């Protein structure tokens, strides 16, 4: 839709996938401005974060989740 200039949604859902220990949770934390932790702690439950981005002059909310 974005390529055609017809993006009508205000909320987009995305998933981060990858092997255990690959940094999915760290990526989500960075997306919402949280500090990086040097200490590895395995993810025990699904994480979801929400942040807004400017897309072609429109505020769009991204909901991004991971699950190990």
């Amino acid at each position: 839709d974005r390529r055609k200039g017809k993006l009508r949604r205000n909320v987009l859902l995305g998933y981060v996938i990858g092997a255990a220990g690959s940094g999915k949770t760290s990526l989500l934390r960075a997306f919402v401005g949280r500090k990086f932790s040097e200490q590895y702690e395995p993810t025990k439950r699904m994480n979801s974060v929400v942040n807004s981005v400017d897309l072609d002059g429109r505020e769009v909310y991204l909901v991004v989740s991971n699950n190990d």
Side-chain angles (χ1 to χ4, degrees), residues 24-41:
K24 298 178 298 293
T25 299
S26 292
L27 180 67
L28 293 180
R29 291 177 58 83
F31 182 64
V32 293
R34 295 187 184 152
K35 293 192 314 186
F36 177 75
S37 174
E38 294 285 340
Q39 182 177 350
Y40 175 70
E41 188 174 319

Side-chain angles (χ1 to χ4, degrees), residues 1-12:
D1 286 349
R2 181 173 179 250
R3 289 184 192 140
K4 297 175 188 174
K6 297 179 182 180
L7 184 64
R8 291 178 237 173
R9 292 181 251 179
N10 293 16
V11 178
L12 302 173

Side-chain angles (χ1 to χ4, degrees), residues 13-55:
L13 176 62
Y15 294 96
V16 178
I17 57 173
S22 63
K24 298 178 298 293
T25 299
S26 292
L27 180 67
L28 293 180
R29 291 177 58 83
F31 182 64
V32 293
R34 295 187 184 152
K35 293 192 314 186
F36 177 75
S37 174
E38 294 285 340
Q39 182 177 350
Y40 175 70
E41 188 174 319
T43 303
K44 294 179 176 59
R45 60 181 176 80
M46 185 170 100
N47 291 308
S48 295
V49 296
V50 179
N51 204 346
S52 63
V53 296
D54 184 275
L55 188 61

